[in-house]
Amino acid sequence: EPAAARAAAVVLDYAKAHQADFQIHVASLYRAGERLVLDDAAVRNLELVRTLDGERRGSLLHLLDETKTSMGARALRARLLEPLTDVERIRRRHDSVELFVLDAPVRAQARTVLSEIGDLERLAVRAAVGLATPRDLGVIRDGLRSAKSLRELLCNRTEAALDDVLADLREADLCEDVCSLLERALVDAPPSIDRQGGIFADGHLAELDELRALSTSAKDVLLDLERRERERTGIGSLKVKFTKVFGYYIEITKAKLEAVPDDYVRKQTIANGERFITAELAELQDRILHADERSRALETAAFLDLRSDVGAHAPRLHRLARTLADIDVATSLAEVAHTRDYVRPDVDTSLELVLEDSRHPTVECFAAKDGFVPNTIILEPDATRFMLLTGPNMAGKSTAMRQAALAVIMAQAGAFVAARRARIGVVDRVYTRVGASDQLARGQSTFMVEMTEASSILRGATERSFVILDEIGRGTSTYDGLAIAWAVAEHLHDVTRCRTIFATHYHELTDLANSLERV
């Protein structure tokens, strides 16, 4: 851990150098043993967040993402890339998904409330670093209101099953003091810029209320002055107007210039007449303009203080955001499970992998009208631990392997899986050697990339790992490739002893079923 501590220190120093006034909060410590490890090859080959073409559409994340908040979307992505290995935590996630699968009305109501919650996680950071706008604080206020509504909806229920599943939400700090402060301070629809005013509600700042009253009453006096001046001069078309350049003035048309009183001071000549100013109008202008400027300056200063106060509660807002994100992910996965007919997997500490009538979650979405043909895959430590697949091209070998790997990842991420029944012993790593590619810019041929990935698997896999291999030994002569594939298969069976699905066109490898006990 000293190396990890040094790396973390460098990151923190970098953050503090660029945000000197911002207090850095460490939310949690990452421990690799608590996560199912997925390397870049597995993430890419299984198309977890992007397809092989680089598109989000068609990936597993695209299929499962029915979240209603940005926080939930990020949390779901993180879960897929870092599934859990702790059985109890995995089961708690499944409990929360099952709750919303079984209660469709509550799921629909919860998703409606969640759709009203903004990105509390990022807005809290914006407030803490002094970048949040009045509108951002308004979104935080509205999100905290919705969080309270969500707890009332979900936690004020009598079902015993809810006690553990929703414990985090029931015990969550809803930051009610922050919400109350923002409710008292802000108008219903705050502006996006703090320098324009109109941020604070009446009654929040006494001095601001006085300036606003002065500005409002002065404008009423202007209307009264216009009426009196019309009566005094007999000029019915006389108007009091305002421009940013000249301020307030009295405008009189050419036809009425002879009736202008002597106390009018000419200010500007225009095409249709002339503009004048009087001592009384000049005084009113000074009062109005200074009141507006002072009120805007007061609001700006008060907003900076309010933003700083909210930013100080960023860690609390982050904790609440994580709780809301978990609820959002649970409702999203429940929605998908209900729509796609997924089943809750039984996750335990065994070394088994039993998938009855399993389906590839994304491939079945694009299957022909006859639907996806399901596959049953059974790997057990005392029976078949190593499955050898062979057959013609387009027979479904790669699909069967990948759907098994996806079932493992989905289950340990807390999702239901595409199968009729599933029992999955916890996996510590998922390794894939699938597809042909090269990295010529790095001087690596297709064969070299394949061997590098195979080497990584042989060195890193443990008894609890799950390995899928497709066409090991291509890119070289037939007998050399067969020898490599044979040696890799024997090592995984005899030494690593992990659950493995091995697809190949080398029909000679089928003899392994006769010579190796668990193939």
Side-chain angles (χ1 to χ4, degrees):
E1 293 193 358
R6 286 194 295 271
V10 172
V11 174
L12 290 173
D13 284 344
Y14 178 85
K16 289 177 181 177
H18 288 77
Q19 295 290 350
D21 298 329
F22 177 45
Q23 179 63 40
I24 305 294
H25 299 281
V26 179
S28 60
L29 297 179
Y30 175 87
R31 300 186 186 280
E34 300 174 354
R35 302 288 189 274
L36 188 161
V37 178
L38 297 167
D39 59 14
D40 291 340
V43 173
R44 180 182 64 255
N45 293 329
L46 296 175
E47 300 179 304
L48 296 185
V49 296
R50 288 284 186 274
T51 65
L52 295 177
D53 295 329
E55 301 292 331
R56 186 177 186 274
R57 179 176 176 80
S59 67
L60 181 64
L61 177 61
H62 178 260
L63 174 70
L64 298 180
D65 190 0
E66 294 289 341
T67 56
K68 293 295 185 178
T69 69
S70 299
M71 304 171 291
R74 289 193 296 273
L76 176 59
R77 187 180 191 277
R79 284 193 186 189
L80 289 180
L81 294 177
E82 294 183 349
L84 299 175
T85 56
D86 183 272
V87 172
E88 290 304 316
R89 292 180 64 190
I90 293 171
R91 288 175 177 171
R92 283 198 295 272
R93 286 184 175 180
H94 289 156
D95 288 341
S96 62
V97 175
E98 184 176 37
L99 165 67
F100 292 111
V101 168
L102 297 177
D103 199 334
V106 168
R107 182 175 75 242
Q109 294 172 29
R111 286 167 60 77
T112 299
V113 176
L114 286 165
S115 66
E116 301 170 353
I117 299 177
D119 197 341
L120 294 180
E121 195 170 32
R122 289 191 172 176
L123 292 178
V125 173
R126 286 179 60 83
V129 299
L131 296 176
T133 66
R135 185 170 296 170
D136 290 338
L137 297 190
V139 173
I140 292 176
R141 174 200 61 195
D142 297 340
L144 294 177
R145 287 173 175 169
S146 297
K148 184 177 180 181
S149 300
L150 185 66
R151 181 155 74 181
E152 292 173 353
L153 168 68
L154 297 179
C155 296
N156 292 345
R157 296 162 61 84
T158 57
E159 288 87 342
L162 299 178
D163 292 343
D164 184 56
V165 173
L166 298 173
D168 290 343
L169 179 60
R170 180 181 290 106
E171 299 168 4
D173 174 12
L174 296 186
C175 304
E176 294 186 17
D177 54 335
V178 178
C179 183
S180 178
L181 171 62
L182 293 174
E183 285 178 331
R184 292 194 309 269
L186 299 176
V187 296
D188 291 338
S192 59
I193 301 176
D194 61 276
R195 300 183 187 88
Q196 292 180 344
I199 301 171
F200 293 97
D202 293 337
H204 181 65
L205 296 172
E207 184 179 357
L208 179 61
D209 291 342
E210 292 176 3
L211 292 171
R212 285 176 174 173
L214 174 62
S215 178
T216 302
S217 63
K219 291 175 183 178
D220 293 336
V221 172
L222 281 171
L223 294 175
D224 182 62
L225 182 145
E226 182 181 79
R227 179 185 56 78
R228 286 189 286 105
E229 288 300 310
R230 286 179 178 177
E231 294 176 354
R232 181 167 76 95
T233 62
I235 303 174
S237 60
L238 181 149
K239 292 181 180 179
V240 176
K241 294 184 177 181
F242 173 81
T243 67
K244 291 184 178 180
V245 177
F246 296 104
Y248 289 97
Y249 56 86
I250 297 173
E251 183 173 296
I252 299 177
T253 61
K254 286 183 178 180
K256 299 294 184 179
L257 289 178
E258 294 181 356
V260 173
D262 294 338
D263 60 334
Y264 275 35
V265 178
R266 182 179 285 103
K267 194 168 186 178
Q268 183 187 21
T269 299
I270 58 176
N272 299 326
E274 295 191 9
R275 294 172 176 175
F276 300 88
I277 190 74
T278 66
E280 183 180 4
L281 183 58
E283 181 183 350
L284 284 174
Q285 174 179 278
D286 184 68
R287 290 171 59 192
I288 294 171
L289 295 181
H290 279 79
D292 288 343
E293 291 174 2
R294 286 169 58 196
S295 65
R296 282 196 294 268
L298 178 62
E299 281 201 86
T300 298
F303 170 73
L304 296 180
D305 292 338
L306 177 64
R307 182 170 64 187
S308 178
D309 291 341
V310 174
H313 297 286
R316 297 173 59 200
L317 291 169
H318 281 164
R319 287 192 292 271
L320 175 60
R322 286 193 291 272
T323 300
L324 296 174
D326 289 340
I327 297 294
D328 192 16
V329 171
T331 59
S332 174
L333 295 176
E335 185 75 14
V336 174
H338 172 76
T339 304
R340 302 286 181 184
D341 193 25
Y342 291 175
V343 68
R344 173 173 178 163
D346 180 13
V347 178
D348 55 31
T349 58
S350 71
L351 293 175
E352 295 185 2
L353 177 59
V354 179
L355 302 172
E356 292 185 7
D357 289 342
S358 69
R359 300 155 355 241
H360 192 294
T362 56
V363 172
E364 75 168 339
C365 296
F366 304 101
K369 63 179 181 180
D370 294 332
F372 186 94
V373 178
N375 305 281
T376 293
I377 297 172
I378 300 176
L379 298 175
E380 299 172 313
D382 297 326
T384 299
R385 188 173 61 230
F386 188 108
M387 180 180 289
L388 187 67
L389 293 181
T390 189
N393 290 324
M394 296 300 293
K397 301 186 298 298
S398 294
T399 300
M401 291 192 303
R402 295 185 204 208
Q403 72 192 45
L406 290 177
V408 169
I409 292 169
M410 290 170 63
Q412 294 187 212
F416 285 19
V417 300
R420 183 166 60 85
R421 185 177 78 87
R423 182 182 180 190
I424 299 172
V426 166
V427 171
D428 63 354
R429 290 172 176 262
V430 170
Y431 285 103
T432 66
R433 163 81 285 282
V434 179
S437 63
D438 56 39
Q439 297 181 8
L440 297 181
R442 300 182 184 177
Q444 295 186 343
S445 66
T446 302
F447 179 72
M448 188 62 183
V449 170
E450 181 181 302
M451 291 299 99
T452 300
E453 292 181 359
S455 174
S456 175
I457 294 171
L458 296 176
R459 286 184 291 109
T462 70
E463 185 180 32
R464 192 163 284 282
S465 300
F466 180 52
V467 176
I468 60 174
L469 296 163
D470 189 11
E471 302 295 347
I472 282 287
R474 290 175 300 187
T476 186
S477 65
T478 301
Y479 289 108
D480 284 349
L482 175 60
I484 291 171
W486 197 293
V488 168
E490 286 189 334
H491 184 88
L492 291 173
H493 178 275
D494 297 339
V495 179
T496 308
R497 303 173 61 83
C498 60
R499 287 161 284 183
T500 305
I501 302 180
F502 193 119
T504 183
H505 278 300
Y506 292 128
H507 292 281
E508 293 86 350
L509 286 178
T510 58
D511 288 342
L512 288 172
N514 300 321
S515 60
L516 298 180
E517 183 180 6
R518 305 299 180 197
V519 176

PDB file of all heavy atoms in Angstrom, residues 226-241:
ATOM      1  N   GLU A 226     -44.928  62.264 -15.106  1.00  0.00           N
ATOM      2  CA  GLU A 226     -45.355  62.385 -16.506  1.00  0.00           C
ATOM      3  C   GLU A 226     -46.778  62.944 -16.593  1.00  0.00           C
ATOM      4  O   GLU A 226     -47.073  63.827 -17.419  1.00  0.00           O
ATOM      5  CB  GLU A 226     -45.272  61.009 -17.184  1.00  0.00           C
ATOM      6  CG  GLU A 226     -45.654  61.005 -18.659  1.00  0.00           C
ATOM      7  CD  GLU A 226     -45.583  59.626 -19.268  1.00  0.00           C
ATOM      8  OE1 GLU A 226     -46.541  58.828 -19.054  1.00  0.00           O
ATOM      9  OE2 GLU A 226     -44.578  59.340 -19.932  1.00  0.00           O
ATOM     10  N   ARG A 227     -47.651  62.449 -15.725  1.00  0.00           N
ATOM     11  CA  ARG A 227     -49.034  62.939 -15.730  1.00  0.00           C
ATOM     12  C   ARG A 227     -49.105  64.420 -15.358  1.00  0.00           C
ATOM     13  O   ARG A 227     -49.814  65.219 -16.002  1.00  0.00           O
ATOM     14  CB  ARG A 227     -49.870  62.111 -14.741  1.00  0.00           C
ATOM     15  CG  ARG A 227     -51.328  62.534 -14.640  1.00  0.00           C
ATOM     16  CD  ARG A 227     -52.030  61.748 -13.551  1.00  0.00           C
ATOM     17  NE  ARG A 227     -51.359  61.889 -12.263  1.00  0.00           N
ATOM     18  CZ  ARG A 227     -51.491  62.970 -11.485  1.00  0.00           C
ATOM     19  NH1 ARG A 227     -52.234  64.013 -11.870  1.00  0.00           N
ATOM     20  NH2 ARG A 227     -50.865  63.020 -10.316  1.00  0.00           N
ATOM     21  N   ARG A 228     -48.344  64.809 -14.331  1.00  0.00           N
ATOM     22  CA  ARG A 228     -48.378  66.210 -13.893  1.00  0.00           C
ATOM     23  C   ARG A 228     -47.808  67.142 -14.945  1.00  0.00           C
ATOM     24  O   ARG A 228     -48.310  68.262 -15.167  1.00  0.00           O
ATOM     25  CB  ARG A 228     -47.600  66.341 -12.570  1.00  0.00           C
ATOM     26  CG  ARG A 228     -48.360  65.762 -11.381  1.00  0.00           C
ATOM     27  CD  ARG A 228     -47.682  66.088 -10.044  1.00  0.00           C
ATOM     28  NE  ARG A 228     -46.460  65.306  -9.817  1.00  0.00           N
ATOM     29  CZ  ARG A 228     -45.240  65.782  -9.927  1.00  0.00           C
ATOM     30  NH1 ARG A 228     -45.043  67.050 -10.307  1.00  0.00           N
ATOM     31  NH2 ARG A 228     -44.193  65.022  -9.666  1.00  0.00           N
ATOM     32  N   GLU A 229     -46.731  66.705 -15.595  1.00  0.00           N
ATOM     33  CA  GLU A 229     -46.120  67.546 -16.614  1.00  0.00           C
ATOM     34  C   GLU A 229     -47.036  67.714 -17.826  1.00  0.00           C
ATOM     35  O   GLU A 229     -47.076  68.778 -18.468  1.00  0.00           O
ATOM     36  CB  GLU A 229     -44.775  66.971 -17.047  1.00  0.00           C
ATOM     37  CG  GLU A 229     -43.677  67.112 -16.007  1.00  0.00           C
ATOM     38  CD  GLU A 229     -43.407  68.570 -15.658  1.00  0.00           C
ATOM     39  OE1 GLU A 229     -43.224  69.379 -16.570  1.00  0.00           O
ATOM     40  OE2 GLU A 229     -43.413  68.895 -14.447  1.00  0.00           O
ATOM     41  N   ARG A 230     -47.783  66.714 -18.149  1.00  0.00           N
ATOM     42  CA  ARG A 230     -48.754  66.853 -19.238  1.00  0.00           C
ATOM     43  C   ARG A 230     -49.813  67.897 -18.878  1.00  0.00           C
ATOM     44  O   ARG A 230     -50.203  68.724 -19.708  1.00  0.00           O
ATOM     45  CB  ARG A 230     -49.429  65.509 -19.525  1.00  0.00           C
ATOM     46  CG  ARG A 230     -48.554  64.510 -20.254  1.00  0.00           C
ATOM     47  CD  ARG A 230     -49.294  63.206 -20.463  1.00  0.00           C
ATOM     48  NE  ARG A 230     -48.479  62.236 -21.206  1.00  0.00           N
ATOM     49  CZ  ARG A 230     -48.870  60.988 -21.479  1.00  0.00           C
ATOM     50  NH1 ARG A 230     -50.068  60.571 -21.062  1.00  0.00           N
ATOM     51  NH2 ARG A 230     -48.077  60.180 -22.165  1.00  0.00           N
ATOM     52  N   GLU A 231     -50.283  67.849 -17.626  1.00  0.00           N
ATOM     53  CA  GLU A 231     -51.299  68.809 -17.201  1.00  0.00           C
ATOM     54  C   GLU A 231     -50.733  70.224 -17.140  1.00  0.00           C
ATOM     55  O   GLU A 231     -51.388  71.197 -17.540  1.00  0.00           O
ATOM     56  CB  GLU A 231     -51.843  68.400 -15.822  1.00  0.00           C
ATOM     57  CG  GLU A 231     -52.619  67.083 -15.836  1.00  0.00           C
ATOM     58  CD  GLU A 231     -53.048  66.678 -14.438  1.00  0.00           C
ATOM     59  OE1 GLU A 231     -52.637  67.372 -13.461  1.00  0.00           O
ATOM     60  OE2 GLU A 231     -53.763  65.664 -14.301  1.00  0.00           O
ATOM     61  N   ARG A 232     -49.481  70.368 -16.655  1.00  0.00           N
ATOM     62  CA  ARG A 232     -48.891  71.698 -16.511  1.00  0.00           C
ATOM     63  C   ARG A 232     -48.591  72.345 -17.851  1.00  0.00           C
ATOM     64  O   ARG A 232     -48.791  73.545 -18.035  1.00  0.00           O
ATOM     65  CB  ARG A 232     -47.597  71.572 -15.696  1.00  0.00           C
ATOM     66  CG  ARG A 232     -46.893  72.917 -15.450  1.00  0.00           C
ATOM     67  CD  ARG A 232     -45.824  72.769 -14.392  1.00  0.00           C
ATOM     68  NE  ARG A 232     -44.635  72.101 -14.902  1.00  0.00           N
ATOM     69  CZ  ARG A 232     -43.565  72.761 -15.377  1.00  0.00           C
ATOM     70  NH1 ARG A 232     -43.563  74.081 -15.455  1.00  0.00           N
ATOM     71  NH2 ARG A 232     -42.503  72.093 -15.788  1.00  0.00           N
ATOM     72  N   THR A 233     -48.081  71.528 -18.806  1.00  0.00           N
ATOM     73  CA  THR A 233     -47.681  72.100 -20.101  1.00  0.00           C
ATOM     74  C   THR A 233     -48.782  72.057 -21.136  1.00  0.00           C
ATOM     75  O   THR A 233     -48.709  72.754 -22.159  1.00  0.00           O
ATOM     76  CB  THR A 233     -46.470  71.327 -20.657  1.00  0.00           C
ATOM     77  OG1 THR A 233     -46.850  69.957 -20.868  1.00  0.00           O
ATOM     78  CG2 THR A 233     -45.301  71.376 -19.687  1.00  0.00           C
ATOM     79  N   GLY A 234     -49.797  71.233 -20.901  1.00  0.00           N
ATOM     80  CA  GLY A 234     -50.846  71.075 -21.903  1.00  0.00           C
ATOM     81  C   GLY A 234     -50.409  70.252 -23.098  1.00  0.00           C
ATOM     82  O   GLY A 234     -51.101  70.235 -24.129  1.00  0.00           O
ATOM     83  N   ILE A 235     -49.265  69.547 -22.974  1.00  0.00           N
ATOM     84  CA  ILE A 235     -48.756  68.717 -24.075  1.00  0.00           C
ATOM     85  C   ILE A 235     -49.182  67.270 -23.803  1.00  0.00           C
ATOM     86  O   ILE A 235     -48.581  66.565 -22.975  1.00  0.00           O
ATOM     87  CB  ILE A 235     -47.226  68.813 -24.192  1.00  0.00           C
ATOM     88  CG1 ILE A 235     -46.792  70.268 -24.385  1.00  0.00           C
ATOM     89  CG2 ILE A 235     -46.728  67.954 -25.348  1.00  0.00           C
ATOM     90  CD1 ILE A 235     -45.301  70.472 -24.369  1.00  0.00           C
ATOM     91  N   GLY A 236     -50.218  66.813 -24.491  1.00  0.00           N
ATOM     92  CA  GLY A 236     -50.742  65.472 -24.255  1.00  0.00           C
ATOM     93  C   GLY A 236     -49.834  64.364 -24.715  1.00  0.00           C
ATOM     94  O   GLY A 236     -49.914  63.232 -24.221  1.00  0.00           O
ATOM     95  N   SER A 237     -48.929  64.649 -25.648  1.00  0.00           N
ATOM     96  CA  SER A 237     -48.025  63.612 -26.167  1.00  0.00           C
ATOM     97  C   SER A 237     -46.718  63.538 -25.388  1.00  0.00           C
ATOM     98  O   SER A 237     -45.826  62.775 -25.755  1.00  0.00           O
ATOM     99  CB  SER A 237     -47.718  63.878 -27.645  1.00  0.00           C
ATOM    100  OG  SER A 237     -47.091  65.153 -27.789  1.00  0.00           O
ATOM    101  N   LEU A 238     -46.556  64.318 -24.354  1.00  0.00           N
ATOM    102  CA  LEU A 238     -45.332  64.320 -23.544  1.00  0.00           C
ATOM    103  C   LEU A 238     -45.110  62.932 -22.932  1.00  0.00           C
ATOM    104  O   LEU A 238     -46.035  62.341 -22.367  1.00  0.00           O
ATOM    105  CB  LEU A 238     -45.432  65.380 -22.459  1.00  0.00           C
ATOM    106  CG  LEU A 238     -44.235  65.566 -21.512  1.00  0.00           C
ATOM    107  CD1 LEU A 238     -44.161  67.028 -21.060  1.00  0.00           C
ATOM    108  CD2 LEU A 238     -44.351  64.659 -20.289  1.00  0.00           C
ATOM    109  N   LYS A 239     -43.879  62.440 -23.027  1.00  0.00           N
ATOM    110  CA  LYS A 239     -43.561  61.120 -22.496  1.00  0.00           C
ATOM    111  C   LYS A 239     -42.235  61.148 -21.752  1.00  0.00           C
ATOM    112  O   LYS A 239     -41.295  61.831 -22.169  1.00  0.00           O
ATOM    113  CB  LYS A 239     -43.476  60.086 -23.625  1.00  0.00           C
ATOM    114  CG  LYS A 239     -44.809  59.799 -24.302  1.00  0.00           C
ATOM    115  CD  LYS A 239     -44.643  58.747 -25.386  1.00  0.00           C
ATOM    116  CE  LYS A 239     -45.977  58.448 -26.059  1.00  0.00           C
ATOM    117  NZ  LYS A 239     -45.823  57.433 -27.127  1.00  0.00           N
ATOM    118  N   VAL A 240     -42.184  60.419 -20.652  1.00  0.00           N
ATOM    119  CA  VAL A 240     -40.934  60.223 -19.918  1.00  0.00           C
ATOM    120  C   VAL A 240     -40.372  58.870 -20.335  1.00  0.00           C
ATOM    121  O   VAL A 240     -41.025  57.836 -20.185  1.00  0.00           O
ATOM    122  CB  VAL A 240     -41.154  60.262 -18.398  1.00  0.00           C
ATOM    123  CG1 VAL A 240     -39.845  59.959 -17.666  1.00  0.00           C
ATOM    124  CG2 VAL A 240     -41.704  61.605 -17.969  1.00  0.00           C
ATOM    125  N   LYS A 241     -39.149  58.875 -20.886  1.00  0.00           N
ATOM    126  CA  LYS A 241     -38.539  57.653 -21.403  1.00  0.00           C
ATOM    127  C   LYS A 241     -37.149  57.450 -20.796  1.00  0.00           C
ATOM    128  O   LYS A 241     -36.637  58.315 -20.069  1.00  0.00           O
ATOM    129  CB  LYS A 241     -38.445  57.709 -22.928  1.00  0.00           C
ATOM    130  CG  LYS A 241     -39.790  57.714 -23.625  1.00  0.00           C
ATOM    131  CD  LYS A 241     -39.606  57.665 -25.139  1.00  0.00           C
ATOM    132  CE  LYS A 241     -40.942  57.584 -25.864  1.00  0.00           C
ATOM    133  NZ  LYS A 241     -40.747  57.510 -27.334  1.00  0.00           N
TER     134      LYS A 241
END
